[in-house]
Structures are given as C-alpha cells and as structure tokens.
Amino acid sequence: GEGPAWGANNTCVRDCGCGCSVEVGPPAECAAGPLGDPWWGGYEDSLFEKHALALVEGHDAAVPLFLFFAPHIVHTPLQVPQEYADRFAFIAPTDKPRHQRQVYHAMVSFADDIVGNLTAAFKRKGMWDDTLVVFSTDNGGPVYGNGTAGANNFPLRGGKMNNWEGGIRGNAFVSGGFLPPSRRGIKWDGLAALWDWYATFSALAGVDATDHRAAKASLPPIDSHDLSAVLLGKTLASPRAELPIGTEPRLSNLSSAPLCASYNRATPYYDEPSVVGDEPKPLPDSPPPGSRCTTVSALIVDEGKGGLWKLLTGTVEQAMYTGPAYPNSTTDEVSSHFVSHCGDGCLFELRADPLETSDLASRHPQRLARLRAKLEAYEATAFNPDRGGNTAAACEHAQGVYRGFWGPFMR
C-alpha cells in the first residue's frame, strides 16, 4: 500500500499495528515516537528531513553527492504537527468538518520548510553553487471521495488516479547554483515526464543510461529522455515527442491489450460502475468472456506547430472541475455524474485547451485513428508482471525486523 512506515505514521507511533485506520490530525492514542517526541521524533517526514540534513552536513564538499529525498507528504494520512495546522486556521470556517483542506495546506507548508532547510544546509556547506535541485510531484492532487483527500487541481479537470490533466500534469521546478542564470525564473512548457530525470541525471553524471541487459533480451529501450540540453540552455525543444500514459488495468477495446484473465487476481482494477471514491478494486472474478484490459489507456503527442494532442480511451472518471476553494463545507459530489465514456477515443488539443473542455475526435477522425494506432503499438510492449498478493509477512518484518519501517520480507 501507500501508507507510511508502520508504527511511525505521519503523526507518531501507534499501538494498533498494521491495521491503523487513516485519520485527520493526531490520533487520540498517539504514543511517543521512536526518538521520544511524538512529533519531531515520530513525524515521519521530520525523521527523513533530519537524516537528509545530517548527510549534507557530514558530506565532503569535494566529492559529488546525489541525494534523493521522497517526502511522504503531501499525502494521506492527513496529519501534521499542530503548529502547522494552526497557521491555516483561517480556512476552518469554510472547510469540511474534518478540516481536510486546512491540513492539506499545512502539509504543503511543512514540505516547503523542508526544502528551505535543505537549501540552507547546502549553502552553509558551500555546495550550493554546484548543486542542481529538481523538485517534482508524481501526480496531481486527489479530488476523489467527495473532497475527503483534501487536494485541489483548479482550474484543471480531474485529479489523481485518472488521466485528465488534473491527474497527470504535475507541479515541478528546477533550481540551484548549477542552473545557468539564463534559465532561472523562466517557464518551460515542453513535454516531459518524471521518468525523464533518469536519463537526464545519468547524462549530467557522465553515466550511460542504456539498459544493456534488456537490449540483449530484445526488450524495448527505456522510456527516458535526456533533458540536460534544455536545463543548460542549449535548446528549448524537448527531446520527448510522445508520452504514453498508464493506468490500472481497465476494460478496453484495444486489440493489442491482453485478456483481463491474464492479470493476477490481486492486481488493482479500474472499477467504473460504483465510482464513489474512484480507488482501484481487485480484478473482478468474472469479467466478460474474452474481454481485454489495458494498462496504457492514453497518449500525448507533440506535433510542434501542429498542436499538442491528447487521446483518452475507454471510461474516464473524475470528469469534473473544482473551484479555487475545494474542498469546502458545501462540497457534495455525486461521483457517478462525473464520468466520460470515451470509447474509441476523446481527443483534445492541450495548448489551446489545457482544461480539456472540447472533444475534437469527431472533427479530426484521421488524427484520432493515427493516435489510436500509436496507442495500440505502445500497449503491445507494455509489461504485465505477476505482482502477487498481500502478505502478513511484510507487516511482521516491518514491526519486528525493521523497527517500524518497510523492507525486504521474502526469504
């Protein structure tokens, strides 16, 4: 699952073990964290921050450093130190009863302070002028569950767990002394994906990003493009022209999609009929005989002056827009009303219509067919692993072996 380290959740250590329920704010039974203090010793992102700061302070500035820091926030459980929640008390009068929007804002503030503290540490160490900082989300904010997740992607459509722009157009910035002055304070709107940083960092470090073992096995090359020339101001053009967009397995009429029955029963399945929270469900026991399920349901193609085109296929939930103060005390969605049935494809031109208001599929049938053919080709090489199922051993190792953190559990 996506939960935090066992027993050291976003607030503190708890006694309920692996079955802790998600709560907003500090649970009533919170015990002291592993370092004693229920917040600054047990708040997970504080622990990670302290560790990262210690790494920087103890590092030899003459030696290159690669530091990857993935905060658990901003994410459920919606829990944050009270002093941060208090900074956004002005939101409370218009918030939902459990203060999801207030806590979500507070978590963003906590993450912002982490970035500030790390920046100050690099500067104290004399490393800032040679440092490249990349900050990025991994998806849009969750707007499902009648706003109980606390996020907002206004003015974009939809959110996390769907492929509307609100779900996949993430916030990001690049900073640091290594960035040329000419590239600072500007906005770049080229097509890029989070996984392009792999090839980019490899290039900057002088490392070959090629997966040679995969090449020997006749597997497709990695889908990662080197953005270093863009960062260094050598070009404004993105090396990426196409972006296939994945999903949990969902019913599809793509001929290259595997049979739904080929997926492991424990594989999360994109479940349209009930909608409600839009969380993935286990694959149904009895999908329609011969039905196919795709894990590549959308595609973005940059045709330069010809437009930035996006294809969505099948059933797409969260076909909704939020206001600037979502969620709030009047939020009351009927989730089944916000479903688009794209079938063979909904088509949008994102430069002119980033809010995805106008489906152009009927006006561009040839382009629709061309993008569907590309999508079929991507699906044909999509990886369909056996992900196994849930096991108590994972939790048992987290509790006993790793003292509250997830780790390898198979012998």
Side-chain angles (χ1 to χ4, degrees):
E2 291 188 322
W6 176 86
N9 66 14
N10 272 5
T11 52
C12 57
V13 173
R14 300 176 69 185
D15 295 328
C16 54
C18 300
C20 289
S21 61
V22 173
E23 297 189 36
V24 176
E29 77 276 24
C30 273
L35 300 183
D37 188 311
W39 283 114
W40 306 111
Y43 193 64
E44 189 175 47
D45 283 281
S46 179
L47 296 177
F48 294 157
E49 177 189 8
K50 286 183 177 181
H51 184 61
L53 290 171
L55 288 174
V56 175
E57 296 294 346
H59 186 72
D60 181 352
V63 178
L65 171 67
F66 179 79
L67 176 62
F68 175 69
F69 185 5
H72 185 80
I73 54 173
V74 176
H75 199 283
T76 55
L78 299 185
Q79 300 167 345
V80 74
Q82 189 63 45
E83 64 182 82
Y84 278 85
D86 290 344
R87 297 178 186 181
F88 297 89
F90 63 90
I91 292 177
T94 60
D95 204 354
K96 293 179 73 67
R98 298 186 69 190
H99 303 280
Q100 285 94 336
R101 181 158 54 98
Q102 177 183 349
V103 176
Y104 204 92
H105 278 70
M107 295 176 82
V108 172
S109 180
F110 193 96
D112 185 53
D113 281 354
I114 290 176
V115 175
N117 292 339
L118 279 169
T119 298
F122 278 112
K123 291 181 177 180
R124 286 194 304 270
K125 195 71 176 181
M127 298 170 63
W128 182 252
D129 290 345
D130 296 318
T131 294
L132 175 69
V133 176
V134 176
F135 182 95
S136 179
T137 184
D138 57 349
N139 49 249
V143 298
Y144 48 66
N146 201 28
T148 56
N152 189 7
N153 303 302
F154 176 82
L156 300 177
R157 193 176 193 178
K160 177 182 178 179
M161 301 194 70
N162 270 287
N163 287 329
W164 301 108
E165 289 298 277
I168 64 173
R169 181 176 289 205
N171 299 305
F173 67 81
V174 179
S175 185
F178 179 81
L179 197 66
S182 63
R183 306 299 291 156
R184 301 173 189 176
I186 67 170
K187 178 182 178 180
W188 182 69
D189 60 0
L191 184 61
L194 187 63
W195 43 96
D196 288 331
W197 292 115
Y198 171 73
T200 305
F201 293 153
S202 295
L204 292 172
V207 177
D208 182 7
T210 305
D211 188 339
H212 294 285
R213 291 181 62 190
K216 289 181 179 179
S218 300
L219 293 174
I222 61 169
D223 179 23
S224 185
H225 293 264
D226 175 14
L227 303 174
S228 61
V230 174
L231 296 180
L232 297 175
K234 298 178 180 180
T235 182
L236 292 177
S238 173
R240 177 179 286 280
E242 297 182 2
L243 178 61
I245 304 170
T247 178
E248 304 85 11
R250 65 178 69 185
L251 289 171
S252 172
N253 61 2
L254 293 175
S255 62
S256 57
L259 295 174
C260 296
S262 68
Y263 290 91
N264 182 285
R265 294 296 93 192
T267 301
Y269 171 74
Y270 187 91
D271 177 59
E272 182 272 331
S274 60
V275 189
V276 188
D278 192 28
E279 296 83 357
K281 315 296 189 299
L283 276 169
D285 291 332
S286 301
S291 60
R292 298 185 177 276
C293 285
T294 182
T295 54
V296 188
S297 65
L299 175 68
I300 297 177
V301 176
D302 189 349
E303 298 182 359
K305 294 182 179 179
L308 181 64
W309 294 91
K310 179 177 180 180
L311 171 69
L312 292 170
T313 63
T315 298
V316 191
E317 298 169 17
Q318 294 185 28
M320 56 177 282
Y321 297 92
T322 60
Y326 176 96
N328 54 61
S329 57
T330 63
T331 299
D332 187 18
E333 301 167 19
V334 180
S335 59
S336 59
H337 292 180
F338 301 105
V339 180
S340 285
H341 299 279
C342 287
D344 289 341
C346 296
L347 188 64
F348 302 94
E349 201 291 295
L350 295 178
R351 289 201 176 97
D353 182 26
L355 305 188
E356 300 170 292
T357 59
S358 300
D359 180 6
L360 303 177
S362 62
R363 293 168 54 183
H364 296 271
Q366 292 182 331
R367 177 173 275 111
L368 176 67
R370 188 164 65 249
L371 264 63
R372 268 193 66 92
K374 288 180 178 289
L375 192 64
E376 289 269 15
Y378 279 116
E379 174 57 72
T381 61
F383 187 40
N384 178 11
D386 182 350
R387 301 183 184 275
N390 295 329
T391 173
C395 186
E396 292 166 358
H397 275 66
Q399 294 183 52
V401 179
Y402 302 115
R403 300 176 59 194
F405 292 88
W406 296 113
F409 61 88
M410 297 181 67
R411 294 179 182 271

